[in-house]
């Protein structure tokens, strides 16, 4: 992939041009990545205190009973949003769904272990682990391919 950046004082808004010999999956994924919304800050609650953190500080998000929780290096906090809303606001090239109830930061994963029933066990750098349901295994493989390409 070739990337060019052109700075022109006459241009009033950012313009992105993608050139290729055909419309393919890579072009489609680039389009989706460019359209992603990125939220600069998230707010979680612990007791009466509100804690502000960036997406990069999130280790994972998970459901616990009827609440959505976020695990950061500073602790575990309760979120007011639903899991699908948070997934939409997180950078897609940095976070991946592990199951219906868990979203993980790819940069916080340390290793995988395959199990005989078709699931994966994912270990975080913090030592914690989560299980990946078979339905989400392809998404993880795809996410690591994009990480490897540097997108």
């Amino acid at each position: 992939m070739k990337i060019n950046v052109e700075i022109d004082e006459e241009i009033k808004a950012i313009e992105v041009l993608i050139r290729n010999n055909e419309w393919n999956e890579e072009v489609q994924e680039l389009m989706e990545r460019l359209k992603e919304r990125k939220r600069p800050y998230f707010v979680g609650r612990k007791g009466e205190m509100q804690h502000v953190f960036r997406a990069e500080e999130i280790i994972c998000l998970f459901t616990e009973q009827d609440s959505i929780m976020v695990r950061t290096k500073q602790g575990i906090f309760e979120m007011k949003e639903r899991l699908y809303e948070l997934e939409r606001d997180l950078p897609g090239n940095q976070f991946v769904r592990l199951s219906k109830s868990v979203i993980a930061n790819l940069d916080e994963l340390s290793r995988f272990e395959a199990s005989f029933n078709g699931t994966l066990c994912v270990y975080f750098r913090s030592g914690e682990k989560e299980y990946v349901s078979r339905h989400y295994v392809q998404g993880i493989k795809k996410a690591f391919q994009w990480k490897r390409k540097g997108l």
Side-chain angles (χ1 to χ4, degrees):
M1 180 183 312
K2 184 173 124 179
I3 299 174
N4 293 317
V5 176
E6 182 180 313
I7 306 299
D8 184 345
E9 293 176 7
E10 301 294 317
I11 295 175
K12 302 295 182 215
I14 294 176
E15 177 184 320
V16 177
L17 171 66
I18 299 172
R19 289 182 166 175
N20 199 21
N21 61 348
E22 65 177 348
W23 185 272
N24 58 21
E25 187 177 327
E26 188 174 17
V27 171
Q28 180 65 37
E29 289 180 24
L30 279 169
M31 291 291 295
E32 289 170 10
R33 298 237 185 246
L34 287 169
K35 290 179 183 177
E36 281 180 353
R37 293 185 328 170
K38 193 172 174 185
R39 194 166 134 187
Y41 296 100
F42 294 83
V43 178
R45 188 178 69 231
K46 187 180 243 181
E48 297 298 316
M49 299 292 289
Q50 303 284 328
H51 297 266
V52 179
F53 45 87
R54 299 178 74 77
E56 300 81 39
E57 298 175 69
I58 297 172
I59 295 171
C60 69
L61 296 127
F62 59 96
T63 58
E64 187 173 273
Q65 296 167 353
D66 291 334
S67 298
I68 304 302
M69 309 300 285
V70 61
R71 179 177 290 121
T72 69
K73 292 176 181 157
Q74 292 77 34
I76 297 175
F77 308 101
E78 185 175 356
M79 303 296 290
K80 66 176 181 169
E81 298 95 335
R82 307 301 311 153
L83 199 57
Y84 71 89
E85 293 170 328
L86 292 164
E87 181 177 33
R88 181 188 63 213
D89 290 346
L90 290 165
N93 62 341
Q94 188 177 357
F95 288 86
V96 67
R97 183 74 86 135
L98 300 183
S99 66
K100 281 185 173 182
S101 61
V102 179
I103 298 171
N105 183 340
L106 291 170
D107 294 334
E108 293 295 329
L109 302 180
S110 66
R111 66 183 181 10
F112 297 94
E113 275 183 16
S115 65
F116 61 91
N117 65 356
T119 62
L120 282 176
C121 183
V122 175
Y123 290 87
F124 291 87
R125 295 183 196 287
S126 63
E128 317 229 338
K129 67 180 179 179
E130 288 287 344
Y131 290 93
V132 180
S133 57
R134 283 181 279 176
H135 178 74
Y136 294 98
V137 171
Q138 278 304 108
I140 291 172
K141 287 180 181 179
K142 191 175 182 180
F144 274 105
Q145 286 174 345
W146 275 97
K147 275 287 204 196
R148 202 170 41 244
K149 289 179 183 178
L151 299 173

